Amino acid sequence: MVMIIICILAPWLAMFLRGKVLQGILCILLHITLIGWIPATIWALVVTRRESAA
């Protein structure tokens, strides 16, 4: 539940916490733009769900 909140508020932080530094940096670049915030959030949620399921 906490990870979902992190994905919504700071998707780049969720990527960094999962150990995906390069994806986190790309996520920061997406998060900077208002239009890129939604895809960055969805991307972070998918990565987080995939990591927790494996």
Side-chain angles (χ1 to χ4, degrees), residues 6 10 14 16-18 21-22 24 29-30 32 34 37 39 45 47 53:
I6 292 173
F16 285 144
L17 290 175
R18 290 291 178 187
V21 177
L22 189 59
L29 294 175
L30 277 174
I32 288 172
L34 185 60
W37 175 75
L45 285 169
V47 168

Side-chain angles (χ1 to χ4, degrees), residues 4 9 12 17-18 20 27-28 33 41 43 45 51-52 54:
I4 293 173
L9 297 177
W12 52 269
L17 290 175
R18 290 291 178 187
K20 304 195 177 298
C27 209
I28 286 174
T33 64
T41 301
W43 183 22
L45 285 169
E51 292 283 328
S52 64

